[in-house]
Amino acid sequence: MKILDKGICSIDSVKANGYREGKYGVAVIYHENSTCVGVYTTNKVYAAPIDITRKHLENGKASAIIVNSGNANCYTKEEGIRKGLEMAQLAADTLEVPVEDVAVASTGVIGRQMPLNILKPIAEKSLANLSNSRENATRAAEAILTTDTVKKECAVEHALHDGTRFKVAGMCKGSGMIAPNMGTMLGFITTDLNLSHEVLQESLNRSIRKSFNMVVVDGDESTNDTVLLLSTNEVEGEYDDNFQEALDYVCISLAKQMARDGEGADKFMQVEANGCRNLDDAIKVSKSVVSSSLVKTALAGADPNWGRIISAMGYSGVDFNPDNVSISIGNEEKDVVIVDRGEVTTYSRPELLEEAEEIMKEKTVIIKVNLHDGESCITAYGCDLTCEYVHINADYTT
Amino acid sequence: MKILDKGICSIDSVKANGYREGKYGVAVIYHENSTCVGVYTTNKVYAAPIDITRKHLENGKASAIIVNSGNANCYTKEEGIRKGLEMAQLAADTLEVPVEDVAVASTGVIGRQMPLNILKPIAEKSLANLSNSRENATRAAEAILTTDTVKKECAVEHALHDGTRFKVAGMCKGSGMIAPNMGTMLGFITTDLNLSHEVLQESLNRSIRKSFNMVVVDGDESTNDTVLLLSTNEVEGEYDDNFQEALDYVCISLAKQMARDGEGADKFMQVEANGCRNLDDAIKVSKSVVSSSLVKTALAGADPNWGRIISAMGYSGVDFNPDNVSISIGNEEKDVVIVDRGEVTTYSRPELLEEAEEIMKEKTVIIKVNLHDGESCITAYGCDLTCEYVHINADYTT
């Protein structure tokens, strides 16, 4: 797998652009007659653009995606639908494609009507200068940010088993999984491999389970979460697991970038649950640890507080024997085993606690837990809980 | 119902005491041959004293409760059981009761062995000066605190339908629902009404569902949560709903005191879910709102951010129509209706948002949500999420 460096424009035929004014931005991704599928928030309260996009993608086709930041267009009723459609129509008119082939997405404040007087001029500027350049990929990735501090992109080139080369390229926004008011996870992924929308949908679902669904910043779920996967259909080939591998790679990379940029986050935390009876247990255990306010504050304080880890495992709802559990705290290079099959190693070897403390001071901390009860494993991604998180979310005004 | 002011000693025959040295404390509650029942944490990782107490209360009887703060005696294996029993034995010897009639409870750091050299002398001082005085009730309530900033007590006198007067008195600790390392909810309630342990158990379960189980500070569940209800059996009478009312009152009061004293909390939040299809839905909706990091930080920032409230309702797992929802923000005196059956009232009446902002600055904020979909309702208790919470939990060292 080869890493590419042109963001969403890593696929040559995809054009994009983005433009920003103050807290409002509009990004456009364009490739006529693409196959396109989506995955959306499960929040009962979901935004108008989700209604529109879901409908427009029913036939598995799209030619363009238009995304705005600054307003989520959520809890806005008929007026919200009307305004979302107006954004889609603007893109359709400029690009000369049917409005039904335009997907829309929004992120920002919820419960307020979209200020089209502000957003339309921004959209017009974006639409007027679409291209396949590195600069435009950057503009698109930046235009969709809200509380994010950095743009998030990932692109790869890979080969099917028969040698056919294809690309997968993505960009996303989200400071976590995350704030309905400002955060909101939006992800846009493109590929040039010609696959049916059914195969794309299945493949996207599979990747999302391992990536975006495993990110927790504050446990809140947005009203606007949307991930779209668009294929330009230029490369002929049959789906095989190398396509899945490439898509997983892009999604997991984007997921990690979001966790690392979690609101107020100073540190990135990865929690691997191993030795679980089934995948469902592994998900529960890893997400319980990565979500725990006490584990998150311990990370902020660089405290290798394994008691909080095992307690979070204990209330995850998974049945396990505490006396079989192993817990280590580590980084990319090493693991410090703090609990070894129920035995606390630091009682007899206090130097291990000191080693773990040093690791906890680093920017990336990998916590591994093992239930020694089966073969299933999964990794969850998160970050520390800092005062900065409280500031960002307390000082924000409706 | 008459409010009494002698804490756990409001029942004349109950003796108590507490003593503290630095971060360690021991409290004792004593009444020979009492009926006694308990409710414990559902965390798979639970502390040694829970093992001991569960066993000792199998016959529904106890004569004394001995509680220590500073060490949770959790993840301590056989040595933990041995040391917990040693504490029970000390109480048994001093009070001349069988060791099986002593209940034990612990709160504090987990994963460390109990320092009996420190705790036993403190326990001896507590045991040597048991009495029914106001001062001793205070000492007992204070000895069990950890990160709590104030003692928590409530006692009432009430009458059964036939006029028989009885009392219920309680004390608890817990800065929420809450930290395995420092928090831990412990509650001890006494009554003089002679009820079988089966009736006491049912009655306690019922009260706990409405009170302690409805408190959320940080969503973490302790390894040591224990609530014991002890009857001195002095007043003869048949259980009726006035007993439940008195027990509910004491438990809800204690629960509110815990939420108000949540770690780092500056404000108390009460979330009433109304008009739900069933009680389970009401619990899910109210707890989802009270637990949301975004609602909690909005409270800290005095921001009447109803978008975060409806979003938290939306991901609660409860099926409802967002267009039927009403949301108000208020205090004991008034409610400001922000969303009225799906209509955002503040669009046409911005002064309502200002009114809500003023209320959000107060120390107590009552959020009411109504799904207009049934008759079930319940109230959850919580607090804001502040920088101080992060400090308390980040700067704590194992």
Side-chain angles (χ1 to χ4, degrees), chain A residues 42 55 69 75 88 127 234 275 295 315 318 364-366 372 393:
Chain A
T42 58
K55 203 168 153 210
S69 59
Y75 219 65
L127 285 160
E234 290 162 298
V295 172
Y315 65 72
V318 171
T364 296
V365 173
I366 300 172
H372 295 295
N393 289 296

Side-chain angles (χ1 to χ4, degrees), chain A residues 1 19-20 25 35-37 42 55 69 94 118 123 156 165 213 228 230 246 292 300 311 318 322 370 373:
Chain A
M1 207 152 27
Y19 193 79
R20 239 196 132 84
T35 305
C36 190
V37 297
T42 58
K55 203 168 153 210
S69 59
T94 314
I118 300 173
V156 297
R165 300 203 69 81
N213 280 358
L228 303 180
L230 178 151
S292 157
S311 176
V318 171
N370 197 324
D373 198 23

Side-chain angles (χ1 to χ4, degrees), chain B residues 82-93:
Chain B
R82 197 174 51 67
K83 287 184 168 174
L85 280 172
E86 221 171 304
M87 290 293 281
Q89 192 66 55
L90 181 66
D93 290 348

Side-chain angles (χ1 to χ4, degrees), chain A residues 42-46 74-78 110-113 178-182 218-223 263 288 291-295 297-298 300-308 310-315 317-325 339 341-344 347 353 357 385-398, chain B residues 42-46 74-78 110-113 178-182 218-223 263 288 291-295 297-298 300-308 310-315 317-325 339 341-344 347 353 357 385-398:
Chain A
T42 58
N43 197 311
K44 283 297 287 179
V45 180
Y46 57 86
C74 181
Y75 219 65
T76 48
K77 304 207 167 181
E78 295 76 17
I110 85 173
R112 286 217 193 143
Q113 295 298 341
I178 188 172
N181 246 319
M182 310 195 291
D218 55 16
D220 281 78
E221 186 196 13
S222 158
T223 52
E263 285 179 344
S288 188
S291 310
S292 157
S293 293
L294 291 166
V295 172
T297 47
D303 174 15
N305 196 322
W306 61 268
R308 296 184 181 179
I310 198 158
S311 176
M313 294 166 69
Y315 65 72
V318 171
D319 190 31
F320 67 91
N321 180 354
D323 290 341
N324 282 346
V325 167
V339 178
R341 288 185 179 258
E343 297 298 331
V344 182
Y347 292 161
L353 205 60
E357 259 162 24
L385 171 57
T386 65
C387 260
E388 191 52 27
Y389 173 85
V390 176
H391 284 311
I392 289 172
N393 289 296
D395 300 346
Y396 180 78
T397 308
T398 38
Chain B
T42 58
N43 197 311
K44 284 298 288 180
V45 180
Y46 57 85
C74 180
Y75 219 65
T76 48
K77 304 207 167 182
E78 296 76 17
I110 84 172
R112 286 214 193 145
Q113 296 298 341
I178 189 174
N181 246 321
M182 310 194 292
D218 54 16
D220 280 79
E221 186 196 14
S222 159
T223 53
E263 284 179 345
S288 189
S291 309
S292 158
S293 292
L294 291 167
V295 173
T297 47
D303 174 15
N305 197 323
W306 60 268
R308 296 184 182 180
I310 198 158
S311 177
M313 294 166 69
Y315 65 73
V318 171
D319 191 29
F320 67 92
N321 180 354
D323 291 339
N324 282 346
V325 167
V339 178
R341 289 188 180 253
E343 299 297 331
V344 182
Y347 292 162
L353 204 61
E357 259 164 24
L385 171 57
T386 65
C387 261
E388 191 52 28
Y389 173 84
V390 176
H391 284 312
I392 289 172
N393 289 295
D395 300 346
Y396 180 78
T397 308
T398 37

Side-chain angles (χ1 to χ4, degrees), chain B residues 39-115:
Chain B
V39 171
Y40 314 92
T41 183
T42 58
N43 197 311
K44 284 298 288 180
V45 180
Y46 57 85
I50 290 181
D51 253 343
I52 296 167
T53 298
R54 214 191 279 268
K55 204 168 151 209
H56 285 189
L57 295 190
E58 262 169 20
N59 63 356
K61 271 189 59 201
S63 291
I65 304 169
I66 183 163
V67 191
N68 76 279
S69 59
N71 182 296
N73 195 8
C74 180
Y75 219 65
T76 48
K77 304 207 167 182
E78 296 76 17
E79 194 178 338
I81 299 282
R82 197 174 51 67
K83 287 184 168 174
L85 280 172
E86 221 171 304
M87 290 293 281
Q89 192 66 55
L90 181 66
D93 290 348
T94 315
L95 302 171
E96 296 180 341
V97 299
V99 68
E100 295 77 23
D101 285 359
V102 180
V104 290
S106 297
T107 174
V109 184
I110 84 172
R112 286 214 193 145
Q113 296 298 341
M114 297 246 282

Side-chain angles (χ1 to χ4, degrees), chain B residues 101-226:
Chain B
D101 285 359
V102 180
V104 290
S106 297
T107 174
V109 184
I110 84 172
R112 286 214 193 145
Q113 296 298 341
M114 297 246 282
L116 285 192
N117 57 327
I118 300 172
L119 283 169
K120 276 181 126 176
I122 302 177
E124 280 160 7
K125 285 181 196 163
S126 277
L127 285 159
N129 290 294
L130 294 175
S131 89
N132 180 259
S133 67
R134 169 69 264 184
E135 294 69 35
N136 273 34
T138 300
R139 281 193 198 110
E142 287 178 348
I144 60 172
L145 305 182
T146 54
T147 52
D148 304 57
T149 65
V150 290
K151 71 175 162 70
K152 294 156 189 80
E153 299 175 318
C154 179
V156 296
E157 187 175 352
H158 200 20
L160 298 175
H161 292 313
D162 68 6
T164 309
R165 301 202 69 80
F166 66 92
K167 294 174 181 175
V168 177
M171 65 182 214
C172 78
K173 67 108 4 197
S175 283
M177 207 49 172
I178 189 174
N181 246 321
M182 310 194 292
T184 310
M185 198 247 131
L186 296 182
F188 306 102
I189 302 160
T190 53
T191 181
D192 48 12
L193 191 63
N194 186 357
L195 297 170
S196 72
H197 76 269
E198 290 87 356
V199 171
L200 279 182
Q201 184 76 61
E202 256 177 62
S203 195
L204 181 61
N205 292 349
R206 221 172 282 137
S207 285
I208 280 181
R209 279 198 290 271
K210 290 183 241 178
S211 57
F212 304 124
N213 280 359
M214 295 305 292
V215 179
V216 179
V217 166
D218 54 16
D220 280 79
E221 186 196 14
S222 159
T223 53
N224 287 54
D225 293 334
T226 299

